[in-house]
Amino acid sequence: MKTFVVGDIHGRCAQLRRLLDMLPRDESADTLVFLGDLIDRGPDAPGCVDVVLKLSQENPERVVCLRGNHEQMLLEFIEGTANLWITPVTGGERTFEQYVGKSLHITKEQDLDDARREIESSVPSEHLDFLHQLPYYHEDELAIYVHAGLDRTKHPRDTTPQSLLWMRDMEFYKNYKGKPCIFGHTPTPLLPLRGRVGRHGIYISHSAIGIDTGYSITSPLSCLSLPDFALYQAFADGHEEIHHITNFIPDTLRAMQKKAGITGKLPSAIH
């Protein structure tokens, strides 16, 4: 049994579909984990939510989607508890346009109230229900999966949702040595240089593994398979890459590889 972990998607529905088509996943045995941030910035956030929602509905035992800080911001905006989602840096205005069908314009307080009502009434109820029930973390025998990271040595059940959704802690990135933790949120080009080895673009330092490989015209959408450490990447220009990572793998996962008989090096494939 394998676990396939997908990094931050951010509205890139075409890349998501191609990435999923690449995965050699046994739907009856393997688990598929999404690290959150399905929405904002990209051209089709509703499509991304729809794809992941349907996968979850079809196979709830084997498909897990975590809550990202962008889903949290959207829900908080709808609830009226925070307005961060509509600031330009988040890319939330693109998701607003895609669901509502018009541009977001805020010039006065009434515009905020109107925008809340419009987005709440425009997002399909099944999408909203899905976002509301997204968990903050997942764990299996291979690893811990969170959106942003862990509060040092704390288990995610003992960590605040704020930390799981938002934290950026250099101590965690550089020195975490607990059970392997797969995270997104912080694009890997912004993580410490020492963990950014190889040409595949993910981050590995001890037991901290970051797979948000960025959001730009050249950034891939990435999926890491455990325990074999095969990395699948779909790019905006249509090409695909597969890497089998052999260096800096956490000892616990290396032991699982040995137990499972995973040896040698699989060839990289570039299409």
Side-chain angles (χ1 to χ4, degrees):
M1 296 193 303
K2 296 179 181 179
T3 300
F4 293 87
V5 195
V6 179
D8 302 32
I9 299 168
H10 283 304
R12 294 173 289 177
C13 194
Q15 278 174 263
L16 172 61
R17 290 182 183 278
R18 285 193 288 104
L19 181 67
L20 292 173
D21 286 342
M22 293 174 66
L23 306 182
R25 183 170 66 98
D26 181 342
E27 295 182 10
S28 65
D30 299 333
T31 300
L32 179 61
V33 177
F34 297 93
L35 295 181
D37 279 6
L38 308 182
I39 64 171
D40 297 345
R41 299 190 176 130
D44 190 4
C48 291
V49 176
D50 207 52
V51 167
V52 177
L53 168 60
K54 287 177 179 177
L55 286 170
S56 301
Q57 290 174 331
E58 292 166 359
N59 197 354
E61 297 299 316
R62 292 295 175 190
V63 178
V64 177
C65 182
L66 304 184
R67 182 182 303 217
N69 63 306
H70 283 256
E71 285 79 36
Q72 183 69 25
M73 286 188 287
L74 168 59
L75 295 175
E76 289 174 351
F77 179 73
I78 289 174
E79 293 163 359
T81 57
N83 296 327
L84 183 59
W85 183 64
I86 61 169
T87 56
V89 69
T90 70
E93 76 282 355
R94 298 205 69 190
T95 299
F96 182 93
E97 291 170 6
Q98 291 154 17
Y99 273 117
V100 177
K102 68 176 187 179
S103 298
L104 176 67
H105 295 291
I106 304 294
T107 59
K108 56 185 182 298
E109 192 70 26
Q110 184 60 47
D111 294 337
L112 280 172
D113 294 336
D114 292 343
R116 286 192 184 94
R117 286 194 295 270
E118 287 173 325
I119 189 65
E120 184 175 20
S121 63
S122 299
V123 177
S125 59
E126 63 174 355
H127 284 202
L128 274 180
D129 291 343
F130 177 63
L131 298 181
H132 274 291
Q133 60 82 40
L134 294 178
Y136 294 104
Y137 74 93
H138 178 67
E139 182 177 10
D140 59 20
E141 69 277 9
L142 298 171
I144 295 169
Y145 311 91
V146 296
H147 178 64
L150 298 177
D151 187 357
R152 307 300 173 91
T153 60
K154 290 183 181 179
H155 190 276
R157 64 173 167 264
D158 302 316
T159 304
T160 65
Q162 180 76 7
S163 293
L164 296 174
L165 293 172
W166 287 97
M167 67 144 280
R168 287 190 165 115
D169 182 354
M170 286 296 168
E171 179 66 22
F172 166 74
Y173 298 146
K174 292 180 178 180
N175 298 314
Y176 172 72
K177 298 178 182 178
K179 185 173 184 177
C181 180
I182 319 298
F183 65 94
H185 182 57
T186 300
T188 52
L190 303 180
L191 292 172
L193 179 62
R194 188 172 181 179
R196 292 186 278 122
V197 294
R199 60 191 179 90
H200 44 69
I202 71 168
Y203 177 86
I204 308 170
S205 179
H206 303 298
S207 292
I209 303 159
I211 65 168
D212 176 2
T213 40
Y215 180 86
S216 74
I217 193 64
T218 59
S219 299
L221 181 57
S222 298
C223 176
L224 182 66
S225 172
L226 303 179
D228 58 333
F229 257 63
L231 182 68
Y232 304 86
Q233 296 182 316
F235 290 77
D237 65 3
H239 85 277
E240 301 166 352
E241 295 186 7
I242 303 172
H243 305 276
H244 189 74
I245 299 168
T246 58
N247 296 323
F248 305 102
I249 297 173
D251 290 341
T252 51
L253 287 176
R254 221 177 258 290
M256 290 179 187
Q257 288 181 339
K258 186 175 181 181
K259 184 177 180 181
I262 301 171
T263 58
K265 184 177 180 180
L266 299 178
S268 293
I270 301 177
H271 307 289

